[in-house]
Amino acid sequence: MSETVRLISAREKEAILLKGCMDGKRQAQNELYSQFSPKMFHVCLRYSKSREEAEDTLVEGFMKVFDHLKQFKNEGSLEGWIRRIMVNTAIEKYRKKTPVLTAIINEERNDVFAEKHGILEELSARELIDMVQKLPAACQMVFNLYAFEGLKHKEIAEQLGIAEGTSKSNLSDARALLRKAVACSRVIAKEVQVS
């Protein structure tokens, strides 16, 4: 009697893995962590000032993932759901560190940014992460939520508990600081080439 080998779809494989995690099986939890931690570490790194802070956020985020796995409804991708948890964990850490934002509110500021001079196009991922990590905390958080998560200023303001104008101001400041950093890195690169 011959047995037919049945191929397991990626969705079924994911369901088995999630069930194992919810049942508290260490092997399943390790597999889920191994599968998603590299990508999620890069997400955490963008919201952190150092690798150590990113690692802390990653660990806290995965603890929340395992605690709330039963809430995952398979309505979107598991990776997207985990990513949202990581971003929310970073936001929570930011709020704890920064109970009162010191950003200056400037409602009259014009937030026009010429995309043809966009900084994202000119940098490698590593260079961008390094530069974003050096931004003041409020600017870093707003820039990440706007540029990487695609949130609008109204959504950012609601999540961070700030005025919409503050979000716009922080984004404008972040862009200005990043442009300055890009200009400095170009000057340094040219000096290195000359010498």
Side-chain angles (χ1 to χ4, degrees), residues 67-125:
D67 286 346
H68 298 95
L69 264 179
K70 290 179 179 159
Q71 294 175 4
F72 178 65
K73 305 285 188 229
N74 273 329
E75 292 170 354
S77 75
L78 178 61
E79 182 177 332
W81 184 77
I82 293 173
R83 179 188 175 90
R84 252 189 331 273
I85 289 175
M86 295 300 159
V87 170
N88 288 337
T89 301
I91 290 170
E92 287 172 20
K93 288 179 72 125
Y94 168 77
R95 283 182 176 165
K96 286 178 187 172
K97 283 194 292 188
T98 317
V100 176
L101 294 173
T102 57
I104 299 169
I105 300 173
N106 186 352
E107 298 289 344
E108 303 300 315
R109 179 180 232 150
N110 186 5
D111 191 32
V112 177
F113 180 64
E115 289 302 321
K116 64 183 178 181
H117 300 294
I119 57 166
L120 294 176
E121 300 159 3
E122 301 174 15
L123 301 172
S124 73

Side-chain angles (χ1 to χ4, degrees), residues 145-156:
L145 292 172
Y146 186 88
F148 296 111
E149 305 306 326
L151 298 183
K152 304 287 184 222
H153 287 294
K154 184 177 182 179
E155 297 167 310
I156 295 169

Side-chain angles (χ1 to χ4, degrees), residues 146-195:
Y146 186 88
F148 296 111
E149 305 306 326
L151 298 183
K152 304 287 184 222
H153 287 294
K154 184 177 182 179
E155 297 167 310
I156 295 169
E158 288 170 4
Q159 286 212 7
L160 298 180
I162 59 176
E164 197 171 330
T166 302
S167 176
K168 290 177 181 180
S169 175
N170 285 332
L171 179 63
S172 180
D173 291 347
R175 286 173 168 164
L177 290 167
L178 289 171
R179 279 190 200 102
K180 186 185 263 187
V182 168
C184 287
S185 70
R186 284 186 188 150
V187 169
I188 292 169
K190 285 180 184 178
E191 288 176 358
V192 168
Q193 288 175 351
V194 171
S195 50

Side-chain angles (χ1 to χ4, degrees), residues 16-25 28-30 32 66 69:
I16 292 167
L17 180 62
L18 292 176
K19 172 109 174 67
C21 289
M22 286 186 264
D23 291 344
K25 294 182 180 172
Q29 291 171 340
N30 286 336
L32 183 78
F66 291 126
L69 264 179

